[in-house]
Every structure is written in C-alpha cells, then in structure tokens.
Amino acid sequence: MTNSHGPLLYEGKAKRVYAADQDDWVLVEYKNDATAFNALKREQIADKGRLNCQISARLFELLEQEGIPTHFLGLVDETWMAVQKVQVIPLEVVLRNVATGSLCKQTPIVQGTSLEPALLDLYYKDDAFGDPLLTESRLELLQLVSAEQRQAIEVLARRVNAVLVPFFLGLDLQLVDFKLELGCNASGELLVADEISPDTCRLWDLRTSDPKQRILDKDRFRQDLGGLIEAYGEVCKRVQGACPNPRNYR
Ligand code: UDP
C-alpha cells in the first residue's frame, strides 16, 4: 500500500489518515507507535499496527452485523483500511464494566469492582488539555454536542458494549473498559469511528487468574510488563478465530 493513496491528511499517535480517490472515504494506516500518558512514554513496537488493524476491522464488522453503524468500509491490506470520512466529535466515550485505571486513581472505588450498568464517562478529546473528564455542566458549556446528540452517543456506546462484552466473553476475554470515538458522515449519520483494539480496550484473559499475566492490552506497555505483541497477538488470534474473513475494500 505505497502508491495508491492520496496526500496525508492527518497524523495521530497511532494512525495516519490519507486522502483516497473519492471525497467521502479515506485510507487509514495503523502505525507501530505505542504511546501512553499523553505521549510522554513512546516506543516503536514491530507488528502492532498490523494486529490493531486486523482486530479493529473484525470488531467494526461485528458491530455492523449487529446493526451498529461504523466508519469501516473494508481492509485494504494488512495495516490499512478504508473508512468513511467523518467529522469526529471531540469526545472520548469510555465505557467501564470493571473498575480500574483512572477511575480507581481518582475515586475510592476498589479495583476490580463490577460496574452494572456500565459506567459511561465522557472526556474532552484534546491533548493540549490532557483529555479532561467532563462534567454535565462543562459539556453543556462547551456546546460540543446537542442534548439529542449526547443522548444518541450514549445509546450507541451502550449498544457497542452490549455487543462486545458477550463476544469477548465467548473468546475467554473480559472486556474491562474501552474508549470509543464517534463521528458523523456526510449524511449526518452517527458512526463508531477511530479504532477498537487492545490500544483502546482493556482485555483480561479469563484463562489465567494471574493479575499481570491476564492483561492483554496496552496496560502491558503502560506498566512496563513486556510481552505486548504476544498479548495483542493472542487477542488477534482469538478474534480471527471467531471472525475469519473481514471484507476487503475493492
Ligand atoms: N483510553 C484510550 N485512550 C485514552 C484514554 C483511555 O483508549 O486517551 C482507554 C483505555 O485504554 C482504557 C479506557 O479507555 O481501556 C479507560 O481508560 P482510563 O480512563 O482508565 O485511563 P488510563 O488508566 O488509561 O489513564
């Protein structure tokens, strides 16, 4: 995938977005860069881009099959996918099924507490401000979304959780929490965008009870546990087993 893309439109921490030959879609290249703590910690990890691209493609397709619209159009090759062009809403929508991470750093809620219904947190997506957690009133003040849009975002995010939790459970993986980004396409339809991968989800392996060994996501990088690619590879293997052939674009 070296010749047939247009100019680079945007480069993020984990992906590059290129123009395609039509206006309403773009090409996304998944990079091998691993970053954490607002990119204060960064490293190149061979094969990470491919694994995240392959996992994301299958999860997007799974959501589509369950009637949840996503920006995914199809895989282009191992590390590239074609997606609908969307206006990304500057919110990070985090769904938490089990308490860990920032929730336990910022509140007395005990690590591992089961959260039912899942806790939905909205963060303002802006690295310059360190992606702060939003309150209802700050969300209103910032006027990032209308009340109706906010409602639609919450409904969509909870539907995603309701599909992904049992899917991962079937693979002996516990979906602890995850982050979604949503966007609107040219027709104004709300879509799941960005990526869904072990970079953006916490996944615990139910085949082991060892609290470090069970971590199959970016916490391995955040906590310097090593074995990141082996962990992502294991997630990819299980996801591929359940969803062998995601669609290709063209
Ligand atoms: N997350 C993410 N990008 C971010 C922040 C969080 O993908 O910029 C994901 C993270 O991988 C986890 C979930 O959102 O699955 C909740 O993260 P948390 O708020 O606990 O933040 P952290 O502990 O990573 O600081």
Side-chain angles (χ1 to χ4, degrees):
M1 190 64 217
T2 45
N3 301 319
S4 50
H5 59 75
L8 179 68
L9 298 175
Y10 167 80
E11 177 155 7
K13 292 191 283 269
K15 296 183 289 299
R16 292 187 192 94
V17 180
Y18 293 88
D21 56 17
Q22 274 164 49
D23 240 14
D24 52 353
W25 56 285
V26 291
L27 291 159
V28 178
E29 179 191 15
Y30 283 67
K31 305 195 292 184
N32 285 336
D33 301 60
T35 64
F37 315 120
N38 204 6
L40 285 176
K41 179 176 162 80
R42 45 167 85 232
E43 215 173 285
Q44 282 274 319
I45 300 181
D47 211 31
K48 186 177 81 78
R50 182 186 70 84
L51 292 166
N52 280 348
C53 182
Q54 295 298 314
I55 294 166
S56 280
R58 287 165 171 84
L59 296 176
F60 282 138
E61 200 163 77
L62 173 77
L63 295 178
E64 294 267 342
Q65 283 159 4
E66 298 296 329
I68 298 172
T70 80
H71 70 160
F72 180 67
L73 293 171
L75 274 172
V76 176
D77 75 9
E78 292 280 284
T79 56
W80 291 71
M81 61 171 65
V83 304
Q84 290 188 54
K85 194 186 265 185
V86 296
Q87 186 91 44
V88 175
I89 297 167
L91 289 176
E92 298 199 341
V93 185
V94 170
L95 266 287
R96 300 176 191 275
N97 297 302
V98 178
T100 190
S102 65
L103 177 63
C104 297
K105 288 197 190 105
Q106 294 163 359
T107 72
I109 295 165
V110 174
Q111 175 96 8
T113 304
S114 180
L115 304 167
E116 276 175 63
L119 184 69
L120 187 147
D121 283 331
L122 295 177
Y123 295 81
Y124 180 41
K125 180 180 152 61
D126 191 323
D127 285 341
F129 293 103
D131 298 340
L133 178 63
L134 289 170
T135 59
E136 287 286 340
S137 34
R138 287 186 188 192
L139 185 61
E140 238 172 77
L141 192 67
L142 286 167
Q143 294 195 320
L144 300 174
V145 287
S146 65
E148 296 73 41
Q149 247 182 332
R150 199 246 141 117
Q151 176 69 15
I153 288 168
E154 173 149 358
V155 168
L156 198 64
R158 289 193 182 280
R159 281 176 64 204
V160 171
N161 194 41
V163 170
L164 293 185
V165 166
F167 171 75
F168 280 122
L169 211 50
L171 307 179
D172 291 338
L173 295 169
Q174 183 172 25
L175 180 60
V176 172
D177 58 28
F178 63 100
K179 183 255 310 181
L180 287 181
E181 291 183 25
L182 305 172
C184 291
N185 66 9
S187 331
E189 190 186 10
L190 187 67
L191 306 175
V192 178
D194 193 47
E195 68 179 286
I196 310 177
S197 74
D199 267 8
T200 62
C201 300
R202 283 194 173 96
L203 292 163
W204 289 351
D205 189 358
L206 293 167
R207 294 178 191 167
T208 173
S209 54
D210 182 279
K212 288 200 170 135
Q213 218 180 315
R214 72 180 176 185
I215 296 173
L216 297 183
D217 54 66
K218 198 158 91 172
D219 273 351
R220 299 207 74 82
F221 176 71
R222 294 187 187 101
Q223 298 174 27
D224 286 319
L225 296 175
L228 181 113
I229 277 307
E230 292 75 8
Y232 283 34
E234 182 60 29
V235 172
C236 193
K237 192 173 88 184
R238 293 190 205 177
V239 170
Q240 270 176 334
C243 314
N245 297 309
R247 66 178 176 265
N248 289 312
Y249 201 64
R250 293 189 165 176

